[in-house]
Amino acid sequence: MAFDVTALPAYTEQNAMGLIVEAVAQGVLSELANIQDGVKGPTTINVLDTDVVFQAGGCTRSADGSTVLTQRTITPGSIGVFEDLCMADLEAKYTAVMLRQGITNELEEIPFAELYFNLKIAKIRKEIAISDWQGDLTSLNANLNKYDGLIALIDASATSVNGNTSGTTVAQGITSGAIGSTGNVLDLMTDMVAVIPEDIQDADDLKLFVGNDTFLKYQQSIFSNNLFHYISEGQTRRMPLVGFPNVEVVASVGLTGTNRMFLMRANNIYIGVDLNDEESDVQSWYDPNERIYKVSIAFRRGINVAFPTEIVQFTLVP
């Protein structure tokens, strides 16, 4: 006699679920933007706008003004990360000392599981941060073509405000330096603020999103101009903009290398995720039939903005 376990699924270890949720639902943009959960397919952002027309008071009335209902759509992509690991591959290496005792036992678990999953989640988080900005369904890059990112969506709307009012060229680039020198990053950021749409000028959640490379140039310019009082203690990726206390400069790996900058309200950004029923799609288990340790991660994510006209974007002139 023997146990008949053919009707049972392979053992599943759910210890990675919390880390996956953290990677998908957190990050620079996720900390600032609106999160819409339960997004399984194209999901609308319902936008309400109305105007006000003053008229003379009196005993008569004449209706004027309009209220407009519009929609923008978050179209999420389904993303999977799958990996098969054979622990026997570690036998002839220094990693052999990490394996469990016994030929069968050594195959059943990753000897450095915590390190492996932490690194895997960190890599997923970085790729998500890049896709949120650079995602493009037409891209040949597998990590970028699952959903359109903010750059593609904002450019496609063609209604954002041009923040490159000085006509700075690709040849000139974005540079650091003291005020009055050849460095231009402070001037370019100031130019963007000068053309903020009137409706959001006094907003308390204005963010100037830049790449890590541009953020470093901004930090260098603060140092060159002895503006150390603008440095936020304990905050390495977000700092107030010199001269504009209601504008925060935010570094994002997703904009690194693009020479693009975007000034908008954080509340204008909507991120769609589907985490309520994804537990079954985040698994790590040992398959005794194939004698392979398997990792399966799947999730949905998409992004969009509600008001493209309220965005100031900076693009270098060719």
Side-chain angles (χ1 to χ4, degrees):
M1 297 293 292
F3 289 115
D4 183 352
V5 296
T6 56
L8 298 178
Y11 172 70
T12 298
E13 175 59 58
Q14 296 289 348
N15 61 345
M17 182 57 198
L19 294 174
I20 299 298
V21 171
E22 179 181 350
V24 176
Q26 293 187 11
V28 174
L29 278 181
S30 298
E31 292 173 0
L32 300 171
N34 300 291
I35 302 296
Q36 289 192 198
D37 200 357
V39 174
K40 298 181 179 298
T43 303
T44 59
I45 303 171
N46 299 313
V47 180
L48 171 67
D49 196 14
T50 188
D51 60 4
V52 175
V53 179
F54 285 176
Q55 301 180 43
C59 296
T60 61
R61 64 184 298 278
S62 177
D64 200 355
S66 60
T67 296
V68 181
L69 296 172
T70 58
Q71 293 180 327
R72 288 182 60 80
T73 303
I74 299 174
T75 303
S78 294
I79 301 171
V81 178
F82 311 113
E83 188 169 9
D84 289 352
L85 303 170
C86 178
M87 300 310 150
D89 294 339
L90 305 178
E91 292 175 356
K93 309 297 181 180
Y94 78 94
T95 47
V97 298
M98 302 179 185
L99 298 174
R100 294 174 59 187
Q101 292 184 346
I103 295 178
T104 299
N105 289 340
E106 70 183 21
L107 301 177
E108 294 182 352
E109 66 179 36
I110 305 175
F112 39 83
E114 183 176 0
L115 177 62
Y116 166 82
F117 280 113
N118 284 337
L119 182 58
K120 181 71 74 176
I121 300 315
K123 293 292 184 71
I124 290 176
R125 181 183 294 131
K126 179 180 179 181
E127 294 304 321
I128 286 174
I130 295 173
S131 291
D132 280 349
W133 285 105
Q134 299 183 37
D136 186 343
L137 290 171
T138 65
S139 174
L140 298 180
N141 186 326
N143 284 9
L144 295 178
N145 62 17
K146 300 303 181 287
Y147 60 94
D148 281 333
L150 290 176
I151 293 177
L153 293 165
I154 294 170
D155 286 351
S157 72
T159 58
S160 59
V161 179
N162 176 21
N164 188 1
T165 58
S166 63
T168 301
T169 66
V170 173
Q172 293 172 295
I174 302 174
T175 57
S176 63
I179 296 175
S181 71
T182 56
N184 63 13
V185 66
L186 290 176
D187 292 329
L188 297 179
M189 291 180 173
T190 300
D191 288 345
M192 293 181 69
V193 175
V195 292
I196 294 178
E198 182 180 358
D199 288 346
I200 64 169
Q201 286 179 355
D202 60 348
D204 59 4
D205 63 340
L206 287 173
K207 308 297 178 183
L208 177 51
F209 294 101
V210 303
N212 289 343
D213 47 357
T214 300
F215 190 80
L216 178 58
K217 294 171 185 176
Y218 175 63
Q219 288 179 308
Q220 291 172 333
S221 296
I222 287 178
F223 176 80
S224 298
N225 289 283
N226 296 315
L227 300 171
F228 300 109
H229 53 289
Y230 280 97
I231 297 176
S232 301
E233 184 175 352
Q235 184 57 261
T236 59
R237 312 315 301 164
R238 294 160 61 176
M239 296 173 59
L241 178 59
V242 172
F244 302 93
N246 68 320
V247 178
E248 186 176 46
V249 182
V250 180
S252 175
V253 66
L255 288 172
T256 301
T258 66
N259 280 326
R260 300 291 300 271
M261 296 187 287
F262 294 86
L263 175 58
M264 69 184 88
R265 295 186 61 193
N267 197 45
N268 195 6
I269 305 171
Y270 288 77
I271 296 174
V273 297
D274 184 16
L275 295 174
N276 284 337
D277 61 355
E278 293 294 324
E279 286 84 352
S280 60
D281 286 330
V282 181
Q283 303 176 1
S284 61
W285 74 100
Y286 175 68
D287 186 334
N289 295 317
E290 297 185 25
R291 297 169 66 84
I292 294 290
Y293 192 92
K294 299 182 177 182
V295 177
S296 176
I297 301 168
F299 57 92
R300 292 185 179 92
R301 188 178 181 90
I303 196 167
N304 211 332
V305 295
F307 302 99
T309 56
E310 294 184 354
I311 297 171
V312 180
Q313 64 85 21
F314 174 90
T315 306
L316 291 171
V317 177

